[in-house]
Amino acid sequence: MLLRLPVSVTEAQQYLAEGAVPVGGATLVWATWQRDGFPEQAMSLRHVPEANVLGPRSLGAAVVLERIDDRVPRVLRDAAASVGTGAVRRAATVGGNLVGSALRCLLPAALVLDARATVLEPDGVRETDLTEVLAKRHLLLGLHWREPLASAHCKQPGEAGGRPPLVVATAVHEEHEEREGHTASRRLRVAVRDGYGVLTGSVPYSTGTADNTDNADGTGSTGTEQLLRTLRHSAFHTLSPAAWEEVRRQVTGVLASAG
């Protein structure tokens, strides 16, 4: 097998057109290749600058999970830290996790950030949404998003060989800034990996409607409860009571953090 290591997008396009198979961090494909046979050519984006971006609003597909730090939002940082062991995180890449993995541990975080994807094709680079990337298994070059006001992530403990552990990710984005005589408009996004599937939902709200002052019965503010009811009866009605309680806990916290 010939491993191609392009140093530019143009060179990567050339190798892709010649039939080179993307390798990612090789943590997922190596065992398959050992079983089914190695391709004639493989390609890693580890030396392509656009695939190695790491910042507050963008993340390259070739970045290994161990490198993801506080330059990205908390939800994405915590999601990366929850993947496998230290050895896995030192080799696994963002692109491999999102496109090559059945678990896609980074997907809920990327969805609540409303991330857009840049993909590399033989005839050029273009932007698309994550739904298309996953459905068509495009070669991911990177992700970009707007900085959230607040975000959070939780992955429950799982058993080896058992059902994938529950993952809950949340983020709040500002949609319209506060102006004189008008309140700010925000959007709460929630994504839940329940088994192998991912449920998503979002709800807009104005500042003041999600104030987190506890009511006498301890259920939380009227505004927060209204947002939770909207989410529960739309996107997340199939969740178990235990899973929904984790969503409730995290939504209450992220709304408080957003202020």
Side-chain angles (χ1 to χ4, degrees):
M1 180 183 73
L2 178 63
L3 177 62
R4 300 289 194 177
L5 296 172
V7 296
S8 68
V9 167
T10 301
E11 195 176 2
Q13 285 177 242
Q14 176 187 336
Y15 294 144
L16 195 61
E18 292 174 359
V21 178
V23 70
T27 56
L28 297 169
V29 298
W30 196 259
T32 301
W33 287 350
Q34 286 182 313
R35 184 190 66 221
D36 300 336
F38 289 81
E40 291 185 8
Q41 293 186 71
M43 179 179 69
S44 169
L45 300 178
R46 72 179 69 165
H47 298 315
V48 176
E50 291 86 345
N52 283 279
V53 175
L54 177 57
R57 295 178 178 85
S58 55
L59 183 63
V63 174
V64 295
L65 304 187
E66 184 72 12
R67 285 186 57 211
I68 298 177
D69 55 23
D70 59 6
R71 284 173 285 182
V72 305
R74 177 182 175 182
V75 64
L76 198 52
R77 181 170 73 248
D78 289 355
S82 75
V83 176
T85 64
V88 169
R89 292 191 294 273
R90 286 190 290 273
T93 63
V94 171
N97 184 273
L98 282 171
V99 183
S101 167
L103 292 177
R104 293 171 176 150
C105 296
L106 300 185
L107 181 58
L111 289 171
V112 298
L113 290 175
D114 197 25
R116 297 282 293 173
T118 303
V119 296
L120 179 61
E121 298 177 332
D123 57 351
V125 174
R126 68 182 178 89
E127 182 181 296
T128 186
D129 57 43
L130 287 171
T131 302
E132 181 181 334
V133 172
L134 301 183
K136 298 184 178 180
R137 299 181 69 82
H138 288 304
L139 175 53
L140 184 67
L141 191 62
L143 301 173
H144 59 91
W145 58 84
R146 290 187 301 115
E147 185 77 2
L149 295 171
S151 65
H153 176 276
C154 175
K155 180 179 181 180
Q156 293 187 345
E159 297 181 4
R163 177 182 172 85
L166 180 77
V167 172
V168 179
T170 54
V172 174
H173 281 90
E174 192 167 61
E175 296 199 314
H176 301 289
E177 294 183 2
E178 186 172 1
R179 302 189 306 276
E180 186 176 354
H182 297 82
T183 56
S185 175
R186 296 176 175 179
R187 182 169 291 275
L188 167 69
R189 290 186 172 87
V190 181
V192 179
R193 189 186 73 188
D194 187 25
Y196 287 97
V198 177
L199 303 173
T200 61
S202 73
V203 59
Y205 71 94
S206 298
T207 53
T209 63
D211 130 9
N212 286 277
T213 305
D214 284 345
N215 292 328
D217 62 2
T219 59
S221 73
T222 302
T224 299
E225 286 302 309
Q226 183 177 350
L227 295 179
L228 284 164
R229 281 196 298 271
T230 300
L231 287 169
R232 180 60 160 160
H233 295 307
S234 56
F236 302 111
H237 64 278
T238 60
L239 288 181
S240 68
W244 177 248
E245 277 307 306
E246 179 56 39
V247 174
R248 172 188 290 276
R249 183 195 66 78
Q250 197 176 118
V251 165
T252 302
V254 81
L255 289 175
S257 296

